[in-house]
Amino acid sequence: MIKRINDSAANLHIKNLQLSDAGTYICKTPSTDSAVKGNYDDSVGMNVIPDGVKVAVPPDVQQQLGDLVEGEEFQLKCSISKNSTECTQISITFEVKTETNGNLQVLSLTQDGKLQPGTKYTERFQSGHIRLETHDDIYLLSVSHALLSDTGTYSSTVTEWIKQQDGTWQVVQQKGVQLAKVNIERIAQVLSVSAVIGNLTLSKGEDTDLTCYIKTGNSNAVSKEVVWYFSTYPTATPGNEKLLASMDRNSMMNRSDYGIISRMDASTYQYMVRNAKETDSGYYYCSVTLWLQESKNTWYRAAEKISDAVQLNVTVSEPTFKVQVTTSTIPTFAEEPAELKCTVSDLQNADDTLLTASWYFTPMLPADQTATRDLIATVKRDFTVLTGDKYRDRVDKGLIIVSKPESTSFTLRIQWSEDSDRGNYSCSVSAWAKQDGNWEESKTETSSDVNIFWVQEEPKVFAKAVSQGSPSSAGSAFEMICSVSSQNIKGPHYSVLITREQPSSNVKKLISLNHEAVVTLEDKAYLGNVVLEKTKEDQFRFRISQTQISDIGLYYCTATAWTPSGGGTWKETVSAKSNGIKIEFQSTGPTFNVTLHSDSPTVHQFEMVELLCTISLGETPDGASFSLDNAAYDVFWFAVRSYDNSINPTFLASMSRTGMVTQARRNGSSDLSVERIGLLQYRLRVHGTRDEDFGNHFCSVTPWVRNSDSSWIKSEEIKSNEILVTVHADLLSSFKIPVVCGIGVSLAVGLLACLIGYCSARFCCKKDVKEARRDHRRLMSMEMD
C-alpha cells in the first residue's frame, strides 16, 4: 500500500512482512517537464531477517500475585527468547498503567545493557527498592517496598535492535505482554496492636512486664515506633495520658524517668515496671506508629493504632517499726555535753520510705505545776532542720546539734548543757511515702521518755580586796590586790571591775579587765595614772601612780565568773563585790564653791545668751592665807535638754587649766564661745540661739592646787547650780520664710501658665480665616434689592 505523506513524499507500507520480501526497491517519478533535470528514480535495499524473538509470561506469575499490603515485596517475571541469524540486541521496558497517572515507565534495560528508571521511580531505584535481575531468559522486576501508588496493571515491552554501519541503532521489531494486575492495600487495615501484662496485681516494690504485640500481615519492610502511655482512665483521652517511654523507628529509646522499652523481636516490645509504687496503679496503653520508606531519605507515616488498656493494681502495706531513745553522754552538772540517740528498729514495708524525726523536751516541775512539751528540732526529709521557737537561738549558734548519721538513726547533742535542760526527752519518728507525686505521712511512732538529771548546786564567787599601802598624802601611790575564788563552777575565767565610791555616795567606774585579759579604761580622767593587771589566774592588782584629793573614797573590786557557752562565746555566770579599801588624807588647800548666773536666761530666737560661772574660795584647814596664783581650774559646760534631770547631760564646751578650749560638734546653726573674764570667773556665750538650745545649763569645775614642791594636786570636781535657758519663737520671723516661699511659687506658676497660653495661641491654635472679599459699592435702593 502506497500512502502519500505530502506533495513531494510517499510511503510504501508492507503488511505481514515475509522473508521473500527481501530485495531492492526502486521508487520512480515520471517527469512531465519538457526538459529533464535531476533524478527521477531511486532505490533502497531491504533485508528481511526471521522473527526469532518470543515474549511470554511464566504461568506461575498470575497465581502468585494477589492483594498485597503496603511494605510487602512483589516480583514480576518476563520470559524472552531470541533465535536470530543477525547480530541484534534486546531491550525491555516494564510499565504500569494506573487510574490516576496513566502509563508510567518503571524500569528499562536498554540495548546497551544500561538500566534506566522512569521519572517517578528514580529515587526508589537509587534506594534499591526497585531492581531488575536476569536469569537466562527470565527478566525479573523486584519491588521491595510496595506503596499505594504501585497499584495498577503491569506490562513489559520488548524491542529488538540492530546496529547500523554508522553506529546508530535501528528498531527491528517490538513486542509487548501484560504481566499482572497488582492491588496494594493500606497497612492500617491489617495492623493489630494488643497489650498484655504479666501480673495484674502487685505489692509495692515488686516487678512486672507489659508486652506489646504488633501484627502487620506479611509486611516486613515497615519500621515501628512504639510508645507506652499511662492514664488513670480506662480509655485513652488526650491530655490525660502520661508518656512513660518510647522507642523510635530506628530502635532508639528516648530517655525516660519512668522505665525502659525492650525489643524482643520484630513484632514484640516489652515495657518493664521495676520496684512498683502505689502511683503505678492505673491503665497502660501501647501506641504503635508504622513508618514506610518512600525513598532513600524520605519516610511517611503509614498507620497508627493504640491498644486496649491493661490495668495494673499496686497494693501498699503500711510500714511498721519501733523507736527507742538511748543516752550516749550524760552530764553530771551544767556546762557538760549531753548526747541522745534515737534508733528505728524492726522496719518493715518501708521501701521508698523516708524517715523524719522530731525531738521533744518536757521539763521537770513540781507536782502542782503542769509541764509543757516543747519541740527542740525536727530533721526533715531533705536533711534540713526545723527548730522550735525556744531553741532556735541555741541551734543557730551550734549549741544544740541534731543530725541523721544513718537512715534509721538520729542524734541530739547539747554542746553545753544548762540547768534548764534537766528533764525528759523523747523522739517522734514519722514515715513518709510518695503518693500521686506528693509526700504524705503514713505512720508516726513516739519513743518512751528518757530522763536526764543532775544535782543543781548554786554557783558562787568570792572577791577579797587587800591594800598594799594607804597613801598618806596627795601624790602618793596606791595599790590594791583583788583575790577571787569560786564554787560549783567548772573552769571559770574572771573579769574584774574597779569602782570608786565618792564621799557624796556617787559611784564611778575607773578601769576594768575582761575574761580575755583585755583592759578598758572606763574613766578617761585617769589616763596614764592607773594600772590593772592579772598577776595570777585568780588574782589581780590595781595601782594609782599619784593619788589626788579627788581620789578620796572607797575602792571596790567586782569580780564576775565566765564559762564557755559554745561557738567560741562566753556566758556570765555570777558576780561578787569585794570589801572596800579607803583612801583618805587631809587636804591643805582651801575649799571651793561654784555658782552660775545669767541676766537673761529667757531669749528669743537668734538672740545671745550669757552664762557666768563664778568660783569662790573658802578658808584653808589651817587658816593660812592662799594665793590665787597657786590654783588653776578645768571648767566644763553641760546642758540637759529636758525637764527630767535623770537624762545624761550633753557636753557643750570646756576650758582646761592651761587655757585650751574644746567645743562639742553642733548640728544647729547657733555657735558657742568660752572665755575667762577674770581670775575666778568664766563666761559661756550662745550666739544665735535656736529651739535646740533649750534646757538646764550648768558648769563643772575641777580645781588644781599647787603644792609646796610645785606639784599640782587635783581636787574634787564641783558642780554649779542649774539655770534653765528658754528660747521663745518670734511669730513674725516664723511666718517670714513660708510667706516668701509661697509668693515665689505663685509667681513662678503664673508666669509658666502665661507662657504656655502664649505658645498655644501662637503656634498650636492659629487658623487662617479666609473671608469673601466684598466690593466697595454704593448703597442700593431697596427697590433694586
Side-chain angles (χ1 to χ4, degrees), residues 587-723:
S587 174
T588 59
T591 59
F592 297 92
N593 294 313
V594 180
T595 56
L596 187 64
H597 172 73
S598 177
D599 292 335
S600 55
T602 301
V603 295
H604 291 86
Q605 283 189 353
F606 307 110
E607 292 184 351
M608 183 181 68
V609 175
E610 286 190 3
L611 299 173
L612 297 178
C613 183
T614 304
I615 304 171
S616 60
L617 276 68
E619 295 183 355
T620 59
D622 55 0
S625 61
F626 181 79
S627 174
L628 296 178
D629 295 336
N630 293 328
Y633 310 96
D634 291 333
V635 181
F636 302 88
W637 300 86
F638 298 92
V640 180
R641 307 298 187 188
S642 174
Y643 291 105
D644 186 4
N645 290 332
S646 62
I647 297 177
N648 293 330
T650 302
F651 171 74
L652 300 178
S654 67
M655 177 180 287
S656 68
R657 58 193 176 101
T658 59
M660 182 177 295
V661 176
T662 303
Q663 291 189 13
R665 179 177 296 179
R666 300 179 62 80
N667 296 326
S669 60
S670 61
D671 197 7
L672 297 176
S673 64
V674 178
E675 57 182 337
R676 183 175 184 177
I677 59 177
L679 291 177
L680 299 175
Q681 199 169 42
Y682 297 81
R683 179 169 60 190
L684 171 68
R685 287 181 175 179
V686 182
H687 305 274
T689 55
R690 302 298 297 270
D691 292 339
E692 54 267 22
D693 294 321
F694 155 83
N696 290 309
H697 291 64
F698 65 91
C699 67
S700 175
V701 178
T702 301
W704 290 79
V705 179
R706 185 158 50 189
N707 209 348
S708 58
D709 57 356
S710 298
S711 62
W712 290 90
I713 299 175
K714 183 179 178 181
S715 300
E716 284 283 348
E717 181 182 359
I718 308 169
K719 180 181 175 182
S720 70
N721 57 303
E722 296 181 354
I723 292 181

Side-chain angles (χ1 to χ4, degrees), residues 355-477:
L355 301 178
T356 63
S358 299
W359 290 95
Y360 293 93
F361 171 71
T362 305
M364 298 182 62
L365 298 177
D368 58 343
Q369 297 182 14
T370 303
T372 58
R373 186 167 174 256
D374 297 324
L375 172 66
I376 300 175
T378 299
V379 181
K380 301 172 66 178
R381 299 187 307 273
D382 55 357
F383 294 91
T384 58
V385 176
L386 178 65
T387 57
D389 294 337
K390 292 185 177 181
Y391 294 88
R392 180 169 291 112
D393 185 60
R394 296 177 68 184
V395 173
D396 292 342
K397 291 180 179 180
L399 305 182
I400 295 179
I401 300 174
V402 289
S403 60
K404 186 179 181 181
E406 299 176 0
S407 59
T408 57
S409 65
F410 303 84
T411 59
L412 169 67
R413 181 177 177 83
I414 303 175
Q415 297 286 70
W416 284 270
S417 58
E418 301 177 356
D419 290 330
S420 58
D421 293 330
R422 297 181 302 171
N424 296 320
Y425 291 82
S426 63
C427 173
S428 179
V429 177
S430 299
W432 293 77
K434 208 168 188 179
Q435 299 180 3
D436 299 330
N438 299 320
W439 288 95
E440 295 185 4
E441 185 177 354
S442 56
K443 190 174 183 180
T444 301
E445 291 286 348
T446 303
S447 70
S448 56
D449 291 341
V450 172
N451 181 260
I452 292 182
F453 179 79
W454 63 88
V455 178
Q456 181 180 2
E457 295 183 358
E458 183 181 359
K460 296 180 180 180
V461 172
F462 306 95
K464 181 180 180 181
V466 177
S467 175
Q468 294 296 103
S470 300
S472 58
S473 61
S476 302

Side-chain angles (χ1 to χ4, degrees), residues 269-289:
Y269 292 80
Q270 202 171 67
Y271 175 74
M272 293 171 282
V273 178
R274 296 292 179 263
N275 195 15
K277 306 177 183 61
E278 188 177 8
T279 54
D280 293 330
S281 297
Y283 299 89
Y284 291 81
Y285 307 89
C286 174
S287 173
V288 177
T289 303

Side-chain angles (χ1 to χ4, degrees), residues 89-104:
Q89 296 293 333
I90 297 297
S91 67
I92 182 171
T93 300
F94 288 89
E95 297 176 332
V96 60
K97 183 178 181 180
T98 63
E99 294 180 358
T100 57
N101 297 323
N103 290 332
L104 296 176

Side-chain angles (χ1 to χ4, degrees), residues 1 13-22 25 46 48 51:
M1 181 179 65
H13 186 73
I14 301 174
K15 295 183 178 180
N16 193 14
L17 189 67
Q18 302 295 325
L19 291 175
S20 59
D21 294 330
Y25 288 81
M46 183 176 70
V48 179
D51 183 7

Side-chain angles (χ1 to χ4, degrees), residues 158-225:
V158 179
T159 304
E160 186 178 13
W161 299 78
I162 188 169
K163 199 168 189 179
Q164 301 294 325
Q165 293 181 358
D166 58 357
T168 61
W169 289 92
Q170 180 182 350
V171 177
V172 177
Q173 65 173 334
Q174 279 186 340
K175 292 183 178 181
V177 64
Q178 180 176 328
L179 302 178
K181 290 184 179 180
V182 177
N183 181 34
I184 307 299
E185 295 182 353
R186 293 185 178 275
I187 197 172
Q189 297 176 0
V190 298
L191 175 62
S192 173
V193 180
S194 59
V196 178
I197 189 171
N199 191 359
L200 297 178
T201 303
L202 298 177
S203 296
K204 186 176 180 181
E206 293 183 346
D207 303 335
T208 189
D209 296 327
L210 290 87
T211 307
C212 181
Y213 294 101
I214 305 169
K215 295 181 180 180
T216 59
N218 296 323
S219 178
N220 296 321
V222 293
S223 294
K224 305 174 184 67
E225 179 182 346

